[in-house]
Amino acid sequence: MKRTLLTGNGAAAWGARLAGVEYLPAFPITPQTEIIETIARWIDFGEMDCRMVTLDSEHSMITAAGAAAVTGVRVFTATSSQGLLYGMEMLYTVAGWRAPFVLVNVSRGLASPITLEPDHNDILAARDSGFLQLHCATCQEVLDCILLAYRLAEDERVRLPVIVNLDGFYLSFTREPVEIPDAESVARFLPPFDPENLGFRAGAPLSEAVAVIGGTPYSYFRYQSHLAALNAVDVFAENAAAFAQAFGRTYQAVEAYHCDDAELVFVMMGSFATKAKEAVDRLREAGEAVGLLRPVLLRPFPAADFRRALSGKKGVIVVDQNLSMGKGGVLHTELASALYGYPGTTPVLVSFIGGLGGRDISAEEFYEMHAVTRQAVSEKRAPAPRLLYTEVELREMKKIQAIARVQGLKEQQT
Amino acid sequence: MTETQFKNMKDLPSKHLLGTGTSLCAGCGGLEALHEIYDILGAKSVFVNAAGCMTLLAVYPFTPFRGSWLYTAMASAPAGAQGIRDALDILLTKGRIAAGEDLETVVLTGDGSAYGMGLSATSGAIERGLDFLYICYDNEGYGNTGQQSSGATPHGARTSTSRGSSGYPGHKKDLFSIWVAHRPTYVATVVGAEPLDLARKIEQAKKLRGPRLILALAPCPTGWDFDPSETAEIGKLAVRTGVWPLKEYRDGKVVHSKIPQRRLPVEDYLKRQGRFAHLFHPQRDEVLLQEIQTKIDIYWANVEG
């Protein structure tokens, strides 16, 4: 198999094409749009047998995606940021329909202020929706995760929609060498969608998503979805093994990098974790026993994998590219709840917030986070969460604010 | 109207398809219309529902429908219909289901969704030429939440969010014309109290493909404040006073299917409903009554030309 230079968006489109997607409800939004444009071009030139329809909004788009999936076809769709939130009501709704399809989210910071560049507040807002979540760090992973996502979504033990997440700009518009598997191998790994009991047919009337009265049936159906999501931990591992056999690339729910002998471990998700990898290499060269854990699977949360990997570690450096206002980093909270109260898993957890709205995290900052955590371990107490921001940035910000003030005064005078 | 199998009342179906014993209010004019529509439309259909009174027709584990049903959300039932229609077409094209398994895709919403929150999704579905039938039961307010004013509430009506002496200050939106402006296949107004007219229009709609709207006035004893036994009478008066014109749009033309001879004064309709009681008690609001009557007169003057 040859490797081709593809953007993350291009890799997402190839994932959908190889998965034999039959239906694409769409709506444009930066930085996702290239995905639907690429597929539209393939459809127009007869390279892909898929029906595409542009809806009036993401809310409608996700409704149509769920409705088509429960009617029994393989569905793909994509969005970003504001679009994901505009469709939020339907994310919860179609997950409750147990509609198995794949949605690619190209992460982008949320308004306000409005921005185009990435962080993870958009995707984490969908954390509790019932959609499963796979987080990618490279363009190759984007393509592969879409194939893994369909097999996961359609498995009869799961039957839930899956979001595959990639970071806007850093992955969406960055070209990397990607191995595009051949269609025959993909078809063997991912056979056509068998909807089994799903579908609206004249000969087999079906009422889907009817109202319930009272907490008893409501709780029952909600618990079913939760248990199905939990099943996805083992199903993902099975699928990843089959994937490795078919394509030679190995995926784990939590990717571990130099963790076995590490005393301190970075935990990060998405493309910025590749920056952490680089920092781990440099720190190791300087003699530090440090590693990295990166969740690929965020829903279901691979708690057991984290407990295993962090057992006996001294400190954990959690770098959240998101901010839950008034609380802090979401990944930090998730990790704390997974580790607390389990014997043998009592590292000091230190929380950092960085990379919001595409802000870079420099190598020096990784070294500093490592040093702060090293200190916390020796003091046996975690400091308050740190918001990454440099003095240079603060000076730059003051300058911008001064310009804004001058402009404001000019406006008043004219 | 072209040839019809419904020449008189005897021709209407005597067997009824929609189950009874639902949790809807006694005397529901929307349910009356739906019964009549479903008898002619048939069970080879999938109803895509938006949040509203009729969401409570199908409550686990019961449904009155013999065909299929999908509840979506308040704003996006037409998008749900798009997904189902497209998926069925894909399955039919690829031979994965037999032609006999195909279904008529039907959207069922109240006026809250049809005139307001769902309008963007509806407009999109029409512009794409989606093959679907939209049934709106118009009870002129957010009925399921206790009759707050909606975009369909008539001028002067009391609602639970317009309790003052002049009632609702806005004017009922013209959904019929909004649809017509999109140049869809078919648009018709109906009321359950005129079953023959309704039957002919469903018969028409069923023969056609593309975006089709059946806009049913739904007299609502609970929200409009009248006795449930009077639903049919109120519906008839809506037609005879000219408040609710029965009409259809086809092939670029609007045709009135029933032009009331000797229109009754609108107050014959208004005074039967508690939501307009403030127009008559403690004293007659001549200005508002005249305003309402004039608007109806102007409408019909334009029709009769």
Side-chain angles (χ1 to χ4, degrees), chain A residues 84-211:
Chain A
L84 191 73
L85 263 72
Y86 196 76
M88 188 60 71
E89 179 190 25
M90 297 320 294
L91 288 182
Y92 277 73
T93 302
V94 301
W97 297 353
R98 309 291 298 275
F101 68 95
V102 174
L103 182 155
V104 164
N105 183 63
V106 184
S107 263
R108 165 182 149 189
L110 291 171
S112 290
I114 188 85
T115 186
L116 295 175
E117 292 178 70
D119 65 40
H120 296 149
N121 262 96
D122 60 350
I123 180 68
L124 290 173
R127 186 188 64 173
D128 305 332
S129 64
F131 270 73
L132 308 181
Q133 291 192 9
L134 299 177
H135 287 255
C136 305
T138 66
C139 295
Q140 182 71 60
E141 266 184 41
V142 172
L143 191 157
D144 293 348
C145 277
I146 289 171
L147 304 179
L148 284 162
Y150 276 106
R151 220 168 114 145
L152 192 61
E154 293 170 6
D155 192 289
E156 61 174 9
R157 293 163 289 179
V158 178
R159 283 291 162 118
L160 286 166
V162 181
I163 297 176
V164 173
N165 198 69
L166 62 136
D167 293 320
F169 291 78
Y170 288 88
L171 277 190
S172 69
F173 300 146
T174 303
R175 279 175 204 281
E176 292 179 345
V178 174
E179 213 168 272
I180 302 172
D182 64 276
E184 294 72 32
S185 311
V186 174
R188 274 193 301 276
F189 173 74
L190 182 68
F193 177 34
D194 176 6
E196 292 173 80
N197 54 344
L198 287 176
F200 299 107
R201 311 283 183 261
L206 173 75
S207 294
E208 174 92 15
V210 298

